[in-house]
Amino acid sequence: NAGVMQNPRHLVRRRGQEARLRCSPMKGHSHVYWYRQLPEEGLKFMVYLQKENIIDESGMPKERFSAEFPKEGPSILRIQQVVRGDSAAYFCASSDFSGTSGREPYEQYFGPGTRLTVT
Amino acid sequence: AQKITQTQPGMFVQEKEAVTLDCTYDTSDQSYGLFWYKQPSSGEMIFLIYQGSYDEQNATEGRYSLNFQKARKSANLVISASQLGDSAMYFCAMILTQGGSEKLVFGKGTKLTVNP
């Protein structure tokens, strides 16, 4: 049973270019989460998606960042016109449960991350 | 607001000894979950242990145990019989469920170094 897959593992972009990060959730998982980890920091939530729906994008910067999880294919995190401050590790996680009141949440399984370097 | 605090930026332990990594949390929810993840130098996030707020017993997974003190809002990770391979960053996290959403809130982490 393959785990969460992310590609590329390393991505180098020049300032102003676009970065596309891909995430394939674990088989059977329909919930995808993206997190960003700046150097020497913990992970920060960016966005939570289900198939064809954005559930919570409260952690996404308002401009240049977008995410999608189409009916077919991987989830994509897209960063337009990258700047040096976008350099970070971007982690995708997946789960098969969306929390509702009164129930314990299930674990989120993390991918290996994509290290984005903006030069 | 939900918050995770890890007050130890770095910890050192001798091989084969036990070590406790501190984590305190802040939430007004009655139902919540706490996680510990390990991040070695290779960068991946490895799930270690989970504690639910309604679990009556402290969680254990092999050499990892979670010292859960609900009244004090602490969820410390105890690693017994440390090994050199335990050297890594350790993150405490809490699941935040709100308005149909679900997300993990992470602490800043503790860097553990195991000395031979």
Side-chain angles (χ1 to χ4, degrees), chain A residues 9 33 35 37 40-45 48 50 55-56 58-59 91 95 97-100 102-112 115, chain B residues 31-33 35 37 39 42-47 50-55 89 91 95 97-109:
Chain A
R9 295 291 305 275
Y33 315 79
Y35 294 84
Q37 184 180 29
E40 309 299 322
E41 294 279 330
L43 278 68
K44 296 280 173 59
F45 169 80
Y48 165 35
Q50 295 177 23
I55 306 302
D56 181 356
S58 59
F91 288 92
S95 76
F97 170 69
S98 176
T100 56
R103 295 183 59 182
E104 296 290 341
Y106 288 172
E107 177 191 347
Q108 293 182 13
Y109 295 80
F110 279 83
R115 269 91 188 148
Chain B
S31 175
Y32 52 89
F35 298 80
Y37 287 88
Q39 186 177 44
S42 51
E44 69 269 32
M45 294 292 287
I46 302 169
F47 166 75
Y50 168 79
Q51 179 82 44
S53 58
Y54 292 121
D55 294 341
M89 285 292 293
F91 292 98
I95 193 81
T97 56
Q98 190 171 74
S101 179
E102 180 181 282
K103 65 189 88 170
L104 286 169
V105 176
F106 284 84
K108 290 185 179 294

Side-chain angles (χ1 to χ4, degrees), chain A residues 78-118:
Chain A
R78 183 181 177 208
I79 311 172
Q80 295 178 292
Q81 299 176 322
V82 296
V83 301
R84 288 222 172 103
D86 297 334
S87 293
Y90 292 82
F91 288 92
C92 167
S94 73
S95 76
D96 60 359
F97 170 69
S98 176
T100 56
S101 60
R103 295 183 59 182
E104 296 290 341
Y106 288 172
E107 177 191 347
Q108 293 182 13
Y109 295 80
F110 279 83
T114 294
R115 269 91 188 148
L116 173 66
T117 302
V118 180

Side-chain angles (χ1 to χ4, degrees), chain B residues 2-49:
Chain B
Q2 271 80 352
K3 186 180 176 182
I4 294 285
T5 302
Q6 294 180 255
T7 57
Q8 307 154 314
M11 287 284 286
F12 294 86
V13 66
Q14 288 298 122
E15 196 177 4
K16 299 181 185 177
E17 293 185 350
V19 62
T20 297
L21 305 184
D22 294 343
C23 172
T24 58
Y25 60 92
D26 188 16
T27 181
S28 55
D29 291 351
Q30 295 301 309
S31 175
Y32 52 89
L34 296 154
F35 298 80
W36 277 92
Y37 287 88
K38 173 184 178 181
Q39 186 177 44
S41 57
S42 51
E44 69 269 32
M45 294 292 287
I46 302 169
F47 166 75
L48 295 178
I49 197 165

Side-chain angles (χ1 to χ4, degrees), chain A residues 12-40:
Chain A
V12 179
R13 284 287 177 266
R14 295 181 187 275
R15 279 180 296 170
Q17 291 184 322
E18 178 180 287
R20 284 191 177 229
L21 288 61
R22 286 177 290 278
C23 169
S24 297
M26 283 184 72
K27 187 176 180 180
H29 286 190
S30 58
H31 305 274
V32 166
Y33 315 79
W34 285 92
Y35 294 84
R36 177 165 67 175
Q37 184 180 29
L38 296 171
E40 309 299 322

Side-chain angles (χ1 to χ4, degrees), chain B residues 72-114:
Chain B
R72 298 179 64 182
K73 294 190 173 179
S74 73
N76 298 338
L77 177 71
V78 180
I79 305 174
S80 63
S82 297
Q83 302 172 356
L84 295 178
D86 294 335
S87 293
M89 285 292 293
Y90 288 81
F91 292 98
C92 180
M94 178 168 57
I95 193 81
L96 170 61
T97 56
Q98 190 171 74
S101 179
E102 180 181 282
K103 65 189 88 170
L104 286 169
V105 176
F106 284 84
K108 290 185 179 294
T110 296
K111 184 175 182 179
L112 176 66
T113 302
V114 180

